[in-house]
Amino acid sequence: MVAHLVRLRLRLLANTLRRSVWQTIGLCFAALYGLTVVGFFVAASIAGGRTDPVLTGQVLTVVGAVVVLAWWVVPLFAFGMDATLDPMRFVTFAIPRRRLLAGLAVAGVVSVPAAATLLAALGSSFAWASDPLALLAALLGAVAALALCVVGSRATTTALAPLLDSRRYREILMVVAIVPLLLIGPAVAWLSSGAEKSVGPEGVTVTASGPGPALLEALTRVADVVAWTPFGAPWAFAGAVHDGAWWLLLARIAVVVVTLGAAWWVWDRALARALVSPPHSSSGPKVRGLGWFARLPATPTGAVAARCATYWVRDPRYAVSLAVVPLLPVALAVVGLSTGAGTGLLLVVAPLTAFILGFGISNDVGYDHTAFALHVATGLPGRADRWGRVLPVVVVGAPLVVAMAVAATGAAGRWDALPALLGLSLGVLGASLGTSSAVSARLVYPVPKPGESAFKTPQGATVATLVAQSVAFLVVLALVLPTLALALAAILGAPAGFGWAAVAVGLATAAGALVVGVRWGARVYERRLPDLLAQVTAFR
Amino acid sequence: MTDGSGAATTATVVPVTSPDDPSQVADQGADQVARQGADPGPATPGAPAPPAALGLRGLWKKFGDKIAVAGIDLDVPAGSFFGLVGPNGAGKTTTLSMATGLLRPDFGTAHVLGTDLWAHPDEAKARLGILPDGVRLFDRLTGAQLLTYAGLLRGLDRSTVAERTEELLVAMDLTADRDTFVVDYSAGMTKKVALASAMIHAPRVLVLDEPFEAVDPVSAANIRDILHSYVDGGGTVVVSSHVMDLVQRMCSHVAIIAGGHVLDAGTVDAVRGEQTLEDRFVELVGGRRGTEGLAWLRTSSDSG
């Protein structure tokens, strides 16, 4: 069974390579990139090990713990990305559970991420090259860590599978996952600023002489705690050996063995349950009445607007971009405060939100996928389709952007910049909506299909996506350039007249881009109606 | 094995020039109208021939190197219950897509009740109700919302949409799930709600691609009743199906398609003659294998 599943895994890997030459080339680059990262990581840890093995060990413990944690948690968010060894696929084959479990465990190691983790873990063990016993412990720790990664991730995904089967939980998870992703940058900025502050006045020497003493102390404390958790314990074997703390080593081994055993047991139980209870679609949430359809005008345009408004909330692929909006000011404030750029950075929030909202519909037909056939079949006029998609964003977006501009100028104490900011934000909103209306009738590119993870990148989409998005971006940029120039001048201290000019030019840009974009988009839409459907149908 | 498939290819490649009925495809239109006059259908004999509900002339479609539809001529008489049958990959869905404005043909024309579909799509589409096969629905809407959406897109007013939505939900036995999202529907329920949204604007011609797939027998019988009374009221229904018995029982006319060609078309009785429709289909399309082989599958042979 082990051999069968490993062979299946390798065959699946090989088959993805055979699908197209470009995909193979892409994978080669990805592999090269991965190897480079692993190589740098290994080189850095070996270099660190030469100067200070104990400190390097502490860093490796913390980094390693994050890696194991990621293995356990990330698959929960990124469901459906790698379902080749989904236990549900083996239900009908009547394989004894014990053998299936062993097979899945070994086959789980045969994957690109596992190979990268193993290489990095084994390589970084050579930070202890000066102490052969510690090196041996580190190598053993690396293997134990990989086992923890693989078994742990299978345990969490299989145990939580019933929850993930529920469409609602999956979608909420997907939207929630955006929070940590967006806060990684600010967190790094905050940590590094903390390091600078702890060093104090001679901050310039930080990069040359290594981190300051306060940070070292903090690191030691964190590493000590992390080493007792199941995630960090395997990485701390070597440290214990190096210190000659044999009881400590024993305790850490015990932590790893117990965790591994517990994870294995949970996986076994969950698999046993999964194999006899096929996924069932629980009755999902219900919505009484017609929602937006009852509130908006009973015209084709109103109907499209009602449908789009419903989708912005209901479809996680749209909801993710909405969820970003409230997080933007938080992220920018943290970065601004920690890097010393100040609250002035907050002024970017309103135009950025306008762009995100306007760009959100730049591939609307791609998001519809073949459900777009309804629009084709009904012979819906292009104007109704285009305006219907734009109007909900205008109605919600314009007040939102204005409120954000006001709040940002208030928070930054730059009331003088308000007119310029308002003009720029509304200009960006109108220009990006108009561009999206035109571009989405001409350039369609594959996106995650309805119901798939919003973070999944469809295969073979890179070039088309890149072309469509850069075209749209450049057009928007060209359209708002006059407004941007005036607004920047006003914000950077030009006379107040510039700000009011920015308002006028911004509003004119918005209205012009919206009307022209929608009209042109409607004409292209009507001409290319069946071709648009043929394009999205080809995205299967 | 090889013999069987060889025979099948010959049968599918030469149908148009087949000696039994050389005029069959070329004179399809006249032929159909003549038969129509003899039918106890809604068309009055002697009156000028009404335009065909669907008139397809020389439709071609190529996907890459594969020719999916190779010159289809077909007339669906107004007021008929028309079955389109053919093996998997015969070009049924491609033909119906080109006949309803979902797919642009490489060559050829399609007329809906005399209106050129590809020249005047809005006019033609207003008379068509379409149930495409293998497309998604806007499934983040509830059943009631989806029907409302389809009605409003067709330009109906609010009260008409509300009234017809209720009636269609009852007819399709979906009232209990009116507020459930379509994404949570079973395959049969999805088919039914799609069918309902194809009918909400009271079209003159209904084109249904595999309408009974995955639908339970009771709902299927109800839908058949609805379609029959629709035809009795002067509407035209075109259905594609694999199920010969169903087509023989349900339809007044039938066309057999294979390899992108029409092999035979006309009233069901004229096409099948003395045989059942299924036998006639197999005779035209070919490809039946003997029962040799798979001996080990016979459980009585007791080898495993």
Side-chain angles (χ1 to χ4, degrees):
Chain A
M1 182 44 54
V2 171
H4 272 99
L5 286 179
V6 170
R7 216 174 309 139
L8 170 69
R9 190 65 187 233
L10 290 173
R11 163 64 54 206
L12 286 165
L13 267 177
N15 282 357
T16 52
L17 287 181
R18 279 178 29 196
R19 281 173 62 155
S20 88
V21 181
W22 285 108
Q23 215 160 334
T24 313
I25 293 173
L27 200 85
C28 287
F29 271 108
L32 209 63
Y33 174 75
L35 275 179
T36 321
V37 171
V38 169
F40 269 118
F41 180 68
V42 169
S45 22
I46 292 177
R50 285 241 175 90
T51 48
D52 188 347
V54 176
L55 174 68
T56 312
Q58 284 169 347
V59 173
L60 284 179
T61 305
V62 175
V63 172
V66 172
V67 170
V68 177
L69 191 65
W71 266 86
W72 286 39
V73 176
V74 168
L76 296 181
F77 294 113
F79 66 90
M81 287 214 188
D82 180 19
T84 47
L85 293 178
D86 181 352
M88 292 319 295
R89 301 198 175 191
F90 300 97
V91 168
T92 54
F93 287 105
I95 303 164
R97 195 173 79 238
R98 198 170 294 278
R99 285 166 63 191
L100 180 61
L101 204 62
L104 286 176
V106 176
V109 178
V110 185
S111 76
V112 178
T117 308
L118 186 65
L119 271 182
L122 289 178
S124 62
S125 303
F126 286 90
W128 298 97
S130 55
D131 183 343
L133 259 184
L135 173 63
L136 186 67
L139 288 174
L140 284 177
V143 174
L146 184 73
L148 265 182
C149 287
V150 172
V151 175
S153 79
R154 293 283 154 188
T156 53
T157 44
T158 314
L160 292 181
L163 193 65
L164 294 176
D165 271 343
S166 148
R167 188 174 52 77
R168 191 160 40 142
Y169 282 109
R170 226 167 39 205
E171 290 175 0
I172 292 172
L173 265 182
M174 207 180 342
V175 176
V176 167
I178 198 79
V179 178
L181 279 181
L182 203 75
L183 294 181
I184 288 175
V188 170
W190 180 70
L191 277 179
S192 58
S193 78
E196 269 169 42
K197 276 180 195 137
S198 64
V199 179
E202 75 270 52
V204 192
T205 55
V206 165
T207 39
S209 68
L215 186 71
L216 284 184
E217 206 176 295
L219 179 69
T220 313
R221 239 180 298 133
V222 169
D224 272 353
V225 175
V226 166
W228 281 105
T229 66
F231 311 111
W235 309 99
F237 286 0
V241 171
H242 183 78
D243 296 346
W246 302 107
W247 286 110
L248 193 62
L249 175 70
L250 213 59
R252 283 174 183 167
I253 291 179
V255 168
V256 170
V257 169
V258 168
T259 312
L260 211 52
W264 187 271
W265 183 81
V266 168
W267 186 19
D268 184 49
R269 291 286 97 199
L271 192 67
R273 196 189 48 203
L275 288 181
V276 293
S277 54
H280 67 289
S281 49
S282 55
S283 60
K286 296 190 171 199
V287 172
R288 291 240 156 267
L290 295 176
W292 287 110
F293 289 94
R295 273 167 254 161
L296 293 177
T299 60
T301 312
V304 176
R307 202 272 298 168
C308 292
T310 312
Y311 264 57
W312 272 96
V313 181
R314 283 267 158 232
D315 189 330
R317 296 171 305 158
Y318 289 97
V320 162
S321 58
L322 271 192
V324 171
V325 170
L327 291 172
L328 271 181
V330 178
L332 284 171
V334 171
V335 172
L337 288 176
S338 55
T339 56
T343 47
L345 210 57
L346 276 176
L347 296 183
V348 187
V349 167
L352 201 58
T353 305
F355 182 74
I356 290 175
L357 290 178
F359 211 68
I361 60 165
S362 67
N363 190 27
D364 235 23
V365 175
Y367 276 87
D368 288 354
H369 203 243
T370 51
F372 184 64
L374 184 64
H375 288 208
V376 184
T378 51
L380 180 71
R383 254 175 316 110
D385 178 279
R386 299 286 104 179
W387 278 119
R389 293 176 192 272
V390 164
L391 284 176
V393 189
V394 173
V395 170
V396 176
L400 180 70
V401 164
V402 168
M404 283 190 129
V406 172
T409 39
R414 288 289 310 270
W415 290 110
D416 57 305
L418 184 58
L421 203 57
L422 281 178
L424 180 62
S425 308
L426 291 174
V428 169
L429 185 66
S432 56
L433 280 174
T435 309
S436 292
S437 299
V439 169
S440 66
R442 193 73 201 78
L443 301 170
V444 184
Y445 54 90
V447 287
K449 293 187 208 69
E452 278 184 351
S453 167
F455 301 117
K456 190 170 176 177
T457 318
Q459 290 176 331
T462 333
V463 176
T465 311
L466 214 63
V467 168
Q469 290 189 345
S470 25
V471 165
F473 181 74
L474 288 177
V475 172
V476 174
L477 192 66
L479 285 174
V480 297
L481 209 54
T483 323
L484 186 65
L486 287 169
L488 270 185
I491 291 171
L492 297 178
F498 278 84
W500 295 109
V503 173
V505 175
L507 286 178
T509 308
L514 208 52
V515 170
V516 173
V518 166
R519 283 220 181 132
W520 195 75
R523 216 172 320 132
V524 175
Y525 167 94
E526 281 180 1
R527 203 176 58 233
R528 300 192 67 237
L529 199 50
D531 310 295
L532 281 172
L533 180 62
Q535 266 182 302
V536 289
T537 309
F539 292 159
R540 279 159 206 276
Chain B
M1 286 283 216
T2 9
D3 290 348
S5 56
T9 356
T10 358
T12 50
V13 169
V14 278
V16 178
T17 53
S18 103
D20 355 318
D21 190 1
S23 66
Q24 174 198 313
V25 173
D27 289 344
Q28 197 87 62
D31 196 24
Q32 290 285 351
V33 173
R35 281 175 193 169
Q36 170 74 15
D39 272 353
T44 0
L54 272 186
L56 314 180
R57 287 288 170 277
L59 282 182
W60 277 82
K61 188 70 196 181
K62 231 174 109 173
F63 295 113
D65 291 335
K66 188 177 173 292
I67 298 176
V69 171
I72 280 197
D73 295 292
L74 191 66
D75 276 287
V76 175
S80 63
F81 201 133
F82 201 98
L84 196 63
V85 297
N88 297 326
K92 297 189 296 286
T93 296
T94 311
T95 305
L96 291 182
S97 298
M98 291 191 289
T100 52
L102 295 183
L103 182 68
R104 204 190 288 283
D106 292 339
F107 301 104
T109 58
H111 284 78
V112 179
L113 295 164
T115 311
D116 187 342
L117 173 78
W118 289 99
H120 307 284
D122 293 348
E123 207 179 315
K125 281 176 183 173
R127 295 161 158 186
L128 272 177
I130 313 171
L131 172 71
D133 190 32
V135 306
R136 292 165 186 271
L137 300 174
F138 285 107
D139 55 14
R140 302 294 158 135
L141 304 180
T142 65
Q145 282 176 336
L146 183 66
L147 291 184
T148 308
Y149 188 43
L152 292 176
L153 286 187
R154 294 286 190 174
L156 304 178
D157 63 67
R158 198 188 292 281
S159 58
T160 314
V161 170
E163 202 177 295
R164 290 186 184 173
T165 299
E166 289 314 312
E167 287 186 27
L168 282 168
L169 286 172
V170 172
M172 296 294 167
D173 196 21
L174 288 173
T175 30
D177 297 292
R178 53 174 302 140
D179 291 331
T180 307
F181 291 110
V182 174
V183 68
D184 295 326
Y185 275 15
S186 70
M189 288 158 74
T190 311
K191 204 70 164 180
K192 288 195 286 182
V193 80
L195 182 60
S197 59
M199 305 205 283
I200 194 159
H201 60 299
R204 301 269 308 277
V205 182
L206 265 179
V207 179
L208 314 174
D209 200 352
E210 301 281 359
F212 299 109
E213 212 176 39
V215 174
D216 66 273
V218 176
S219 297
N222 287 339
I223 292 170
R224 275 202 304 279
D225 287 346
I226 295 170
L227 295 180
H228 273 299
S229 67
Y230 171 81
V231 171
D232 291 341
T236 310
V237 175
V238 181
V239 295
S240 76
S241 181
H242 299 289
V243 188
M244 297 302 146
D245 276 342
L246 184 80
V247 173
Q248 184 177 338
R249 269 185 296 131
M250 185 174 68
C251 297
S252 62
H253 293 65
V254 68
I256 298 177
I257 293 189
H261 298 276
V262 177
L263 302 189
D264 198 358
T267 61
V268 171
D269 291 337
V271 168
R272 72 186 174 98
E274 296 295 300
Q275 302 164 292
T276 64
L277 186 61
E278 181 156 356
D279 289 340
R280 174 65 178 151
F281 177 85
V282 171
E283 178 189 301
L284 274 175
V285 173
R288 284 276 288 144
R289 307 183 195 294
T291 48
E292 78 279 7
L294 304 193
W296 45 267
L297 192 56
R298 283 171 225 147
T299 44
S300 57
S301 68
D302 213 23
S303 54

